[in-house]
Amino acid sequence: MTDSGRASWMIGEGKSLPPEFDDGVVWAAWLYYVDQLTQSDIAKILGMSRATIVNYLQEARERGLVTIRVNTDIGGRVAVARKLKEKFGLEGALVIPAGEPTSLVTRLGEAGARLLADMIKEGDTIGVAWGRTVLAVADQISLAEPLGGLTVVQVSGSSIANPEFSPEFCTSLMSQRIHARCVNLLAPALLSTPELKRWLLSEPVLVKQFELIHSTNVLVFGVGDIGPDTLIRSANVASQEDFDSYQAHGAVAVLICRFIDEAGRQVSGELDDRMVGIELNELVRIPSRICVAGGSNKVTAIRATMNGGYATHLVTDIETAEMLLAQEA
């Protein structure tokens, strides 16, 4: 001990310990956690190597000089996200906090946009579906730095209904936001006959577009239920009788205009051979698939999507996440 009673901690040559600190560990911890200096800056001040500063900061935690607390709200959401990953075999889950129900789509879109921006790499091809949450992602995405060679491709056929969140609008908006090449799918979502679909998809331009869809690295999509007020019904893609028929055969969710049951299995119907867009067996081959969806009315649909393994990443809200975990598989 020194005459002042303070511990004689090693300080660089020519450096003196300020009187307000008990030892060099406390000084280093204060500079790092309170003054928010970098470890390199602290090393210069103390006249030591950066490796020694790292050891000092570790010792400060071990001695209880520093206590790191995680906000309980954040900690709770992280714990729930990890449970979702484990339960549904996801690569990642992002759970947003509770908020006003009227802002849920916007908040989900912001979170989805952040996740997507973190995942995009130079040269990627990004597949985009349609709907309110997908539009919210497209509207709010921004990249920390420009990336070259990006392509945004529409993965489902076009529709004249609900133009504000149509697949072609979602695709073009996202491509503008990230300065990417935009490729819209030049075909309607639903054709009048299976024969017309086969004829149309044999056209060279559509063959090339589907080749691009099949080369997608990252996909962004939402999911909906097929109840009376669902988005897919209001889009007028098909008749109400068509939707009722799928529902009667066990469909609980619609995923990029394809119908699935509670286990995530595709429910077949008359529309399938006339629908233009990515097939479910093609969707699951895309390396990264981000499902952005939330709300108590969508719990069954989201669970079906997770059960089918259609998503590698889920962005949802805390209430929906807790209901997903509470339900039996």
Tab-separated table of all heavy atoms in Angstrom, residues 14 23 53 61 81 133 139-140 178 180 188 192 195 269 272 311 326:
chain	number	residue	atom	x	y	z
A	14	GLY	N	5.772	7.755	-15.805
A	14	GLY	CA	5.463	9.176	-15.913
A	14	GLY	C	4.013	9.513	-15.666
A	14	GLY	O	3.611	10.676	-15.751
A	23	ASP	N	-7.455	3.039	-7.313
A	23	ASP	CA	-6.399	2.342	-8.022
A	23	ASP	C	-6.625	2.476	-9.526
A	23	ASP	O	-7.621	3.043	-9.980
A	23	ASP	CB	-6.321	0.867	-7.602
A	23	ASP	CG	-7.625	0.129	-7.774
A	23	ASP	OD1	-8.215	0.204	-8.872
A	23	ASP	OD2	-8.069	-0.527	-6.813
A	53	ILE	N	-5.557	-2.737	-20.525
A	53	ILE	CA	-6.821	-2.047	-20.224
A	53	ILE	C	-7.980	-3.034	-20.285
A	53	ILE	O	-8.891	-3.000	-19.453
A	53	ILE	CB	-7.040	-0.882	-21.209
A	53	ILE	CG1	-5.917	0.152	-21.065
A	53	ILE	CG2	-8.401	-0.231	-20.970
A	53	ILE	CD1	-5.748	0.708	-19.665
A	61	ARG	N	-15.236	-5.645	-13.374
A	61	ARG	CA	-16.506	-6.373	-13.296
A	61	ARG	C	-16.428	-7.485	-12.261
A	61	ARG	O	-17.375	-7.708	-11.495
A	61	ARG	CB	-16.877	-6.928	-14.667
A	61	ARG	CG	-17.243	-5.852	-15.681
A	61	ARG	CD	-17.876	-6.432	-16.940
A	61	ARG	NE	-16.929	-7.239	-17.704
A	61	ARG	CZ	-16.124	-6.760	-18.639
A	61	ARG	NH1	-16.111	-5.454	-18.895
A	61	ARG	NH2	-15.320	-7.549	-19.310
A	81	ALA	N	-37.586	-13.866	-27.743
A	81	ALA	CA	-37.070	-14.107	-29.086
A	81	ALA	C	-36.274	-15.409	-29.142
A	81	ALA	O	-36.392	-16.187	-30.094
A	81	ALA	CB	-36.204	-12.931	-29.535
A	133	THR	N	-47.496	-4.897	-44.125
A	133	THR	CA	-46.217	-4.945	-43.411
A	133	THR	C	-45.041	-4.933	-44.383
A	133	THR	O	-44.007	-4.325	-44.103
A	133	THR	CB	-46.130	-6.187	-42.500
A	133	THR	OG1	-46.380	-7.365	-43.273
A	133	THR	CG2	-47.108	-6.094	-41.357
A	139	ASP	N	-40.903	0.936	-47.147
A	139	ASP	CA	-40.973	2.389	-46.958
A	139	ASP	C	-39.926	2.901	-45.976
A	139	ASP	O	-39.545	4.074	-46.027
A	139	ASP	CB	-42.377	2.757	-46.467
A	139	ASP	CG	-42.604	4.257	-46.464
A	139	ASP	OD1	-42.187	4.927	-47.434
A	139	ASP	OD2	-43.192	4.772	-45.492
A	140	GLN	N	-39.446	2.038	-45.072
A	140	GLN	CA	-38.566	2.503	-44.005
A	140	GLN	C	-37.133	1.993	-44.098
A	140	GLN	O	-36.288	2.383	-43.299
A	140	GLN	CB	-39.148	2.092	-42.650
A	140	GLN	CG	-40.510	2.716	-42.368
A	140	GLN	CD	-41.053	2.314	-41.019
A	140	GLN	OE1	-40.631	2.828	-39.987
A	140	GLN	NE2	-41.986	1.379	-41.014
A	178	ILE	N	-33.130	1.563	-51.623
A	178	ILE	CA	-31.769	1.018	-51.480
A	178	ILE	C	-30.970	1.130	-52.783
A	178	ILE	O	-29.895	0.558	-52.902
A	178	ILE	CB	-31.802	-0.448	-51.003
A	178	ILE	CG1	-32.503	-1.355	-52.012
A	178	ILE	CG2	-32.466	-0.551	-49.635
A	178	ILE	CD1	-32.465	-2.831	-51.631
A	180	ALA	N	-31.480	0.002	-55.868
A	180	ALA	CA	-31.278	-1.302	-56.487
A	180	ALA	C	-32.016	-1.373	-57.825
A	180	ALA	O	-32.933	-0.594	-58.099
A	180	ALA	CB	-31.793	-2.411	-55.566
A	188	PRO	N	-50.360	-11.148	-64.307
A	188	PRO	CA	-51.357	-11.011	-63.246
A	188	PRO	C	-51.182	-12.087	-62.175
A	188	PRO	O	-50.590	-13.144	-62.431
A	188	PRO	CB	-52.698	-11.206	-63.987
A	188	PRO	CG	-52.384	-11.190	-65.432
A	188	PRO	CD	-50.951	-11.570	-65.589
A	192	SER	N	-57.113	-16.770	-66.032
A	192	SER	CA	-58.450	-17.341	-66.193
A	192	SER	C	-58.437	-18.858	-66.326
A	192	SER	O	-59.395	-19.527	-65.918
A	192	SER	CB	-59.146	-16.718	-67.409
A	192	SER	OG	-58.349	-16.894	-68.581
A	195	GLU	N	-54.338	-23.424	-68.699
A	195	GLU	CA	-53.685	-23.444	-70.006
A	195	GLU	C	-53.045	-22.092	-70.310
A	195	GLU	O	-51.916	-22.033	-70.838
A	195	GLU	CB	-54.692	-23.804	-71.106
A	195	GLU	CG	-55.215	-25.228	-71.049
A	195	GLU	CD	-56.234	-25.422	-69.937
A	195	GLU	OE1	-56.825	-24.413	-69.474
A	195	GLU	OE2	-56.418	-26.587	-69.510
A	269	GLY	N	-56.243	-26.390	-54.168
A	269	GLY	CA	-57.563	-25.976	-54.603
A	269	GLY	C	-57.545	-25.551	-56.052
A	269	GLY	O	-56.511	-25.619	-56.737
A	272	ASP	N	-54.885	-22.918	-57.596
A	272	ASP	CA	-53.444	-23.174	-57.635
A	272	ASP	C	-52.867	-23.173	-59.049
A	272	ASP	O	-51.799	-22.596	-59.289
A	272	ASP	CB	-53.124	-24.513	-56.971
A	272	ASP	CG	-53.489	-24.520	-55.500
A	272	ASP	OD1	-53.983	-23.490	-55.011
A	272	ASP	OD2	-53.284	-25.553	-54.843
A	311	ALA	N	-40.236	-19.676	-42.846
A	311	ALA	CA	-39.429	-18.524	-42.438
A	311	ALA	C	-38.141	-18.981	-41.766
A	311	ALA	O	-38.131	-19.960	-41.015
A	311	ALA	CB	-40.218	-17.628	-41.484
A	326	ALA	N	-47.323	-19.652	-25.954
A	326	ALA	CA	-48.287	-20.226	-25.027
A	326	ALA	C	-49.090	-21.351	-25.657
A	326	ALA	O	-49.506	-22.293	-24.975
A	326	ALA	CB	-49.230	-19.142	-24.501
